[in-house]
Amino acid sequence: MEPVVAQSVRYAETCQDCGADLECCGVQVLAHGCVQWDVGASCTACGFAIAVCFGDIPSERRAQLLAEHGAATLRVIGPSAKKRVVIMRVLRAELGIDLVSAKAALGSVLNGDHSGTLPEMELLARKLRASGIAAEAARP
Ligand SMILES: [Zn+2]
């Protein structure tokens, strides 16, 4: 089993029950071959508490993750960079993109500028390694 990779951010929202500040903690987790976004929140005023799992990460929380933890970069190492078709196939499947976008993504991966959150890049690196490509997620 590969280790779990997780990054978290804290933020405040408004409690839907009493209007006080809700303390929220969002965690982006890579586990069991997928990246998920889990949120736990509790209100200090009324005790309202919620936990939401398996959601999509909102873009503002993703931006916060990148700002607080830095961006990770996906790298393909050595002769694996020549296996362009295999890399593109993995990128298309994992990112859900078309062929034209996959070609652009391939270019940025090979240039070392394909970046994102650490759990996202680690997932891509693992999927690439599973297809025989030497890849790693470089931590910020
Ligand atoms: Zn409340």
Side-chain angles (χ1 to χ4, degrees), residues 15 17-20 43 45-48:
C15 177
D17 282 2
C18 75
C43 177
C46 75
F48 170 79

Side-chain angles (χ1 to χ4, degrees), residues 51-132:
V52 182
C53 296
F54 300 104
D56 285 329
I57 187 168
S59 57
E60 59 180 320
R61 294 305 151 216
R62 188 171 180 277
Q64 188 184 356
L65 262 180
L66 288 169
E68 292 184 9
H69 297 278
T73 310
L74 180 66
R75 289 196 193 133
V76 172
I77 305 147
S80 287
K82 296 204 174 78
K83 297 181 184 167
R84 291 164 171 260
V85 175
V86 180
I87 298 170
M88 271 184 22
R89 191 184 302 139
V90 173
L91 292 174
R92 281 187 74 181
E94 292 306 315
L95 303 176
I97 53 180
D98 64 19
L99 192 59
V100 174
S101 305
K103 274 186 183 162
L106 173 72
S108 65
V109 168
L110 295 180
N111 285 334
D113 347 293
H114 190 79
S115 64
T117 68
L118 182 62
E120 291 165 359
M121 293 304 104
E122 182 65 28
L123 174 64
L124 280 177
R126 288 179 187 183
K127 296 287 182 183
L128 285 166
R129 290 201 292 270
S131 295

